[in-house]
């Protein structure tokens, strides 16, 4: 009842207000700093009204430009990142998100990157937008799983984030967000307040790597994120399948 008759309604209204202000400001905001500040304000409001305080481990590692590779368990992951990552960044998001009123409008006007996976050519074209942003000094946030995990466990990683990092010769910053699955899993609007934890791993350098190293870089980042996540999460690590004889 608290979620459906209070928290969700406040979040909807707050999103509309912040979205409208951000859209208006976008006509005067040349570098995106105002819209990024509005996104951070929106995120703080959501976390505050939901009673979900965030603790960050190794905050000093949050330096850019870099590719922030984070697990994606819940819609709450995005407010956590906007609130706690200090540098301005762009998010690589699925194309359907850009069609959502206010949220999608803000994403498009603020320069977030809409990934189109319809063909390999359009996917690569999208990823090169992220490469250009990194070369201009912005950080890029990418969820390597490609979408939210319905089980609370970390899914298979796609290679896009690591392609971008190698092409831009930018470090990969592995980040594990713990607790958002318990707050708001997929396919529900029932928000269950609890403290959240964001764990920041050691940056993984890409200097000198080539596109032949994409798979190994993805595997390395996934191993770090899994270790950070499962060490503190109530979600258990999936059992490894036995090797075929």
């Amino acid at each position: 009842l608290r979620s459906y008759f209070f928290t969700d309604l406040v979040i909807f209204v707050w999103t509309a207000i912040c979205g409208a202000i951000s859209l208006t400001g976008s006509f005067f905001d040349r570098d995106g700093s105002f819209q990024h500040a509005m996104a951070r304000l929106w995120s703080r409001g959501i976390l505050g009204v939901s009673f979900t305080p965030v603790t960050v481990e190794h905050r000093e590692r949050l330096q850019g430009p870099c590719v922030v590779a984070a697990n994606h368990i819940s819609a709450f992951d995005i407010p956590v990142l906007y609130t706690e990552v200090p540098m301005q960044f762009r998010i690589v998001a699925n194309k359907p998100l850009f069609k959502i009123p206010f949220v999608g409008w803000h994403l498009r006007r603020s320069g977030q990157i809409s990934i189109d996976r319809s063909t390999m050519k359009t996917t690569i074209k999208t990823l090169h937008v992220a490469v250009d942003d990194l070369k201009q000094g912005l950080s890029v946030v990418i969820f390597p799983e490609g979408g939210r995990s319905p089980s609370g466990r970390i899914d298979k990683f796609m290679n896009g984030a690591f392609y971008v990092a190698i092409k831009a010769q930018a470090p990969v910053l592995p980040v594990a967000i713990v607790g958002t699955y318990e707050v708001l899993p997929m396919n529900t609007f029932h928000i269950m307040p609890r403290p959240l934890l964001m764990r920041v791993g050691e940056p993984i350098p890409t200097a000198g790597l080539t596109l032949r190293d994409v798979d190994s870089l993805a595997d390395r980042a996934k191993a770090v994120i899994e270790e950070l996540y499962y060490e503190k999460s109530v979600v258990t690590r999936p059992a490894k399948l036995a090797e075929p004889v």
Side-chain angles (χ1 to χ4, degrees), residues 185-205:
M186 285 182 65
N187 304 318
T188 181
F189 292 99
H190 181 192
I191 298 171
M192 294 163 278
R194 60 164 289 155
L196 303 175
L197 176 63
M198 190 173 92
R199 309 187 75 196
V200 185
E202 291 273 6
I204 302 174

Side-chain angles (χ1 to χ4, degrees), residues 1-69:
L1 291 175
R2 179 194 63 242
S3 293
Y4 294 132
F5 292 103
F6 174 70
T7 311
D8 292 342
L9 291 176
V10 172
I11 289 174
F12 178 80
V13 173
W14 181 239
T15 299
I17 292 171
C18 290
I21 295 173
S22 177
L23 285 170
T24 303
S26 70
F27 293 100
F28 311 96
D29 185 21
R30 293 185 177 181
D31 62 358
S33 58
F34 174 78
Q35 291 177 90
H36 193 82
M38 285 304 305
R40 296 192 72 183
L41 179 64
W42 169 78
S43 299
R44 290 193 183 104
I46 288 177
L47 297 177
V49 76
S50 303
F51 301 102
T52 53
V54 182
T55 300
V56 179
E57 291 184 0
H58 295 294
R59 187 184 295 273
E60 72 280 359
R61 295 172 179 168
L62 292 167
Q63 299 181 32
C66 65
V67 174
V68 178

Side-chain angles (χ1 to χ4, degrees), residues 18-19 22-23 26 35 39 42 78 82 89-115 143:
C18 290
S22 177
L23 285 170
S26 70
Q35 291 177 90
W42 169 78
I78 294 173
Y82 266 117
F89 58 81
R90 299 290 183 262
I91 291 181
V92 177
N94 288 326
K95 191 174 181 180
L97 288 175
F98 287 73
K99 298 178 181 179
I100 300 174
F102 293 103
V103 173
W105 303 339
H106 166 82
L107 290 173
R108 193 173 301 281
R109 290 291 302 175
S110 60
Q112 311 309 316
I113 303 164
S114 171
I115 187 163
F143 299 113

Side-chain angles (χ1 to χ4, degrees), residues 71-75 77 148-149 152-153 177 180-181 184 186 229:
N71 61 310
H72 199 15
I73 307 295
S74 166
D77 297 331
R148 287 174 289 168
S149 166
R153 291 174 172 171
I177 304 171
T180 51
Y181 176 74
L184 187 68
M186 285 182 65
Y229 180 71

